[in-house]
Amino acid sequence: AQSVTQPDIHITVSEGASLELRCNYSYGATPYLFWYVQSPGQGLQLLLKYFSGDTLVQGIKGFEAEFKRSQSSFNLRKPSVHWSDAAEYFCAVGAGNDYKLSFGAGTTVTVRA
Amino acid sequence: DTGVSQDPRHKITKRGQNVTFRCDPISEHNRLYWYRQTLGQGPEFLTYFQNEAQLEKSRLLSDRFSAERPKGSFSTLEIQRTEQGDSAMYLCASSLTIQGQSPLHFGNGTRLTVT
């Protein structure tokens, strides 16, 4: 079964600084990878997804992620964070025709002025 | 596209009571999922419907839990004889999937507190 590890529980970043959130997955074949964002008391919003093709994926709100098969990673990046990016971020992996997504435990991002 | 709608947003109940949550998926979506999220954790899969058929239930879903999706439209999740350990956010998601994977669209969840 597939699984996801998000090594960083909490990250604090200054507004305008760059952000990188780490995600490592475990799956034997090519995975389907997702990043979701969750604001307090809200559901999850899809930021971006990787199914195949170009390993650098662009998403909404200026986020991008890079799939690195050799490192089993799918790290999320943003060049310049805004105060509204403060939220919890979840990496998720799906596999083949398995309809379930497995989520990481999440990384909370705090943005300081 | 009005998004996935869940009702109620919050539910406080006493231990031993039954509760029922409702989820209205995006109208043309054929798949519907229920996830549970506890504090500080990512969502955990509970169950899944393809149209009206419930195709899998996680071992997290004890016999006190039941889910339905009559006519392949809205879904309900019922918890009988609630326990304090049932306190969590219950998330519904839907997708339009013909084959393989497609992104899940989540609702805002129902937060259950069992006192």
Side-chain angles (χ1 to χ4, degrees), chain A residues 73-85:
Chain A
S73 69
F74 188 57
N75 294 350
L76 181 72
R77 299 191 293 256
K78 185 169 183 177
S80 176
V81 300
H82 186 263
W83 64 266
S84 60
D85 294 323

Side-chain angles (χ1 to χ4, degrees), chain A residues 32 34 36 38 41-44 46 49 51 88 90 94-106, chain B residues 9 31 33 35 37 40-43 45 48 55-56 89 91 99-109:
Chain A
Y32 298 94
F34 307 83
Y36 285 85
Q38 185 178 35
Q42 302 297 313
L44 281 74
L46 179 69
K49 62 184 185 292
F51 285 0
E88 191 157 20
F90 293 95
N97 286 318
D98 187 352
Y99 39 80
K100 300 188 293 292
L101 291 187
S102 296
F103 285 83
Chain B
R9 290 296 308 277
R31 291 187 178 180
Y33 309 77
Y35 281 78
Q37 185 179 23
Q41 298 298 316
F45 171 80
Y48 146 76
L55 297 188
E56 184 171 334
M89 174 81 88
L91 294 164
Q99 63 179 12
Q101 281 283 353
S102 58
L104 272 59
H105 298 260
F106 283 86
N108 286 330

Side-chain angles (χ1 to χ4, degrees), chain A residues 1-5 23-36 46 48-55 57 65-69 72-75 90-104, chain B residues 31 33 35 97-104:
Chain A
Q2 63 271 30
S3 65
V4 174
T5 301
C23 171
N24 294 100
Y25 68 89
S26 173
Y27 180 61
T30 300
Y32 298 94
L33 295 160
F34 307 83
W35 275 99
Y36 285 85
L46 179 69
L48 47 78
K49 62 184 185 292
Y50 171 78
F51 285 0
S52 65
D54 193 347
T55 56
V57 179
E66 186 170 12
F67 170 58
K68 292 186 177 180
R69 183 189 303 275
S72 298
S73 69
F74 188 57
N75 294 350
F90 293 95
C91 181
V93 61
N97 286 318
D98 187 352
Y99 39 80
K100 300 188 293 292
L101 291 187
S102 296
F103 285 83
Chain B
R31 291 187 178 180
Y33 309 77
Y35 281 78
T97 305
I98 306 302
Q99 63 179 12
Q101 281 283 353
S102 58
L104 272 59

